Amino acid sequence: MSDGKARDRSNDILYFKRHLELLPDHYTSTDTNRMTLAYFGISALDLLGVLEEETSGEERSGWVEWVYAQQVHPNEGREVATQKQCGFRGAPYAGAVFDSTNSKVCNPYDTGHLAMTYTALAILIILGDDLSRVNREAIVSSMKDLQQADGSFVPCPGSSESDMRFLFCACAISYMLNDWSGVDRERALEFVRKSESYEHAFGQQPDQEAHGGSTYCAIAALTLLSALPTALQNQDKTVAWLLNRQRKGFHGRPDKPDDTCYAFWVGASLKMLDAYQFVDTQALREFLETTRTKYGGYGKVPEAYPDLLHSYMGLSGLALQDDTKREGGSRALYGPLGISERALGWLREGTIYWRKV
C-alpha cells in the first residue's frame, strides 16, 4: 500500500472513531436516528478490520449496554397497547430511563422502530453479543401489527409510512433473530412483486418510480426470504437496469449524477444477483477516490463535505469487491444484511437463536 493510501485509510479510521465519541452539532436534528449513526461507525471500523485494535473492551461493552438500554419491553399488566410497541428505539429520548436490563414503555409515544431495531441487532452482532438479552418474542409479536394489508410494513405503531425500506428491515430482523413468525411471507412477497416497475427494477411501493435504494431493499428482502431467483421474474432485465446505473460511479435513477452511496445500494444488488463481475470496479474506485476527503470519510459527490451515511456506504461499496481489490486488512461485506462476513459468521455460530438450531 502506498503512503497516500495508508494516510487515507488512517484518516477514515479516525473519522469514524471521532463520530462514535462525539457527533458534530449538525447531527442534532437526526438524534432520533442515533442508533443508525452508531451502526455506521461501528460497522465501518469492523469493515476496516480495526474494531478490536482501535477500540477498548470497555468501549465495546459500553456500546452494548447503550444499545440494550434502548430496547423497549412490554409493560406487563398494563394497557394492551404497550405489547405492540416493542423493539429498539433510536436514542434515549422521550423520557426513557437508561436501563440496559429492563426498559419499559415510558409514555404512549415511546416505541421501538423497525429501522432502529435492525441496526441495533446489527451492532450487537458486530460487537460479539450473543443476543441473550434481546426480547425476541416481544419484537416478532409487535411486527405482526406493523405489517399492512398489502404486505408492506410501517416502522412503528401509528406511522403513515409503509414501503420497501421497512419490509426489508422486517426481513433482516426476522433473519437475525431466526424467527419469521412476525412476517406474513406470502403477503410480503406479493408486495415486492407488485413494486417491480416497467423497467424491471423496484420502487418503494407499487406504481412508483424504480430507484437504486428501493431495488436493494427488494432484492435483499427476497434473498433473506430465500425467494431468489424464483420470485424475480425478469432477473436479466433487472441486472441490465442496475448495470446501466454506472458511468464511473453509480447513480440511483436514470439521468441522475453519480453518488457515493449507490456503490453499496446498486453494487450489493448486483452482488446478490451474481452479476458483480460485470461492474467496472476500476472506474468505481476512481470515482470513490474523488469523493473521499482529506478529513477522512466520503462525501455524496466530489468536493462535498463528508457525512456518516455516505462515508459508510462508500466504504461498503469497496467491501463488496474481491480480496485482491480491497485495501489491506479490510473485511468483506455480506450485502443482504449490511454487515461483514466475519459478523455474519458470529451471528450463525455465536448467537443463541442460531446456536440452538
Side-chain angles (χ1 to χ4, degrees), residues 57-259:
E58 183 179 1
E59 283 178 303
R60 296 192 296 275
S61 295
W63 292 336
V64 168
E65 295 307 309
W66 183 83
V67 170
Y68 273 117
Q70 312 320 317
Q71 185 170 200
V72 180
H73 296 273
N75 287 348
E76 303 295 344
R78 286 184 56 190
E79 61 273 15
V80 175
T82 68
Q83 317 306 312
K84 301 179 181 181
Q85 296 173 225
C86 302
F88 288 81
R89 62 174 79 86
Y93 55 86
V97 176
F98 189 92
D99 179 358
S100 62
T101 59
N102 200 16
S103 179
K104 303 294 187 182
V105 176
C106 65
N107 65 57
Y109 305 102
D110 180 30
T111 75
H113 186 285
L114 281 182
M116 302 306 120
T117 301
Y118 155 56
T119 52
L121 293 174
I123 290 171
L124 292 173
I125 292 161
I126 292 165
L127 294 174
D129 184 76
D130 67 1
L131 305 186
S132 59
R133 287 187 278 166
V134 172
N135 192 337
R136 178 171 72 168
E137 181 179 356
I139 291 172
V140 297
S141 177
S142 293
M143 284 205 307
K144 291 178 183 178
D145 290 292
L146 300 179
Q147 189 166 21
Q148 305 299 289
D150 65 357
S152 65
F153 282 79
V154 293
C156 55
S159 174
S160 60
E161 292 184 286
S162 62
D163 56 48
M164 198 68 72
R165 295 171 300 170
F166 304 120
L167 186 146
F168 159 71
C169 290
C171 290
I173 293 163
S174 299
Y175 187 92
M176 289 190 281
L177 295 180
N178 202 17
D179 186 337
W180 288 88
S181 62
V183 176
D184 184 322
R185 297 165 72 110
E186 287 306 312
R187 281 196 293 158
L189 286 170
E190 185 63 16
F191 179 80
V192 175
R193 291 189 192 101
K194 288 183 176 180
S195 298
E196 183 175 348
S197 76
Y198 72 94
E199 298 169 287
H200 305 294
F202 294 84
Q204 291 287 17
Q205 295 176 330
D207 302 318
Q208 290 193 356
E209 180 183 14
H211 186 279
S214 49
T215 297
Y216 164 81
C217 290
I219 293 172
L222 292 177
T223 301
L224 296 170
L225 284 160
S226 300
L228 280 180
T230 55
L232 201 59
Q233 300 300 312
N234 302 285
Q235 181 165 325
D236 289 347
K237 293 178 180 179
T238 304
V239 168
W241 186 90
L242 289 163
L243 289 171
N244 280 325
R245 302 284 67 75
Q246 183 172 27
R247 294 189 188 95
K248 290 192 69 174
F250 284 110
H251 48 276
R253 292 175 290 164
D255 299 321
K256 293 292 184 179
D258 289 349
D259 180 328

Side-chain angles (χ1 to χ4, degrees), residues 9-24 37-38 40-46 48 50-56 59-60 63 295-297 308 311 315:
R9 178 180 168 82
S10 177
N11 286 344
D12 288 344
I13 292 168
L14 287 172
Y15 176 85
F16 289 110
K17 283 185 65 179
R18 289 193 191 105
H19 282 75
L20 284 168
E21 293 165 359
L22 181 66
L23 286 170
L37 300 179
F40 290 151
I42 292 168
S43 187
L45 293 179
D46 184 36
L48 286 164
V50 298
L51 180 61
E52 297 82 6
E53 173 187 337
E54 293 287 340
T55 62
S56 67
E59 283 178 303
R60 296 192 296 275
W63 292 336
Y295 311 104
L308 271 173
S311 295
L315 187 67

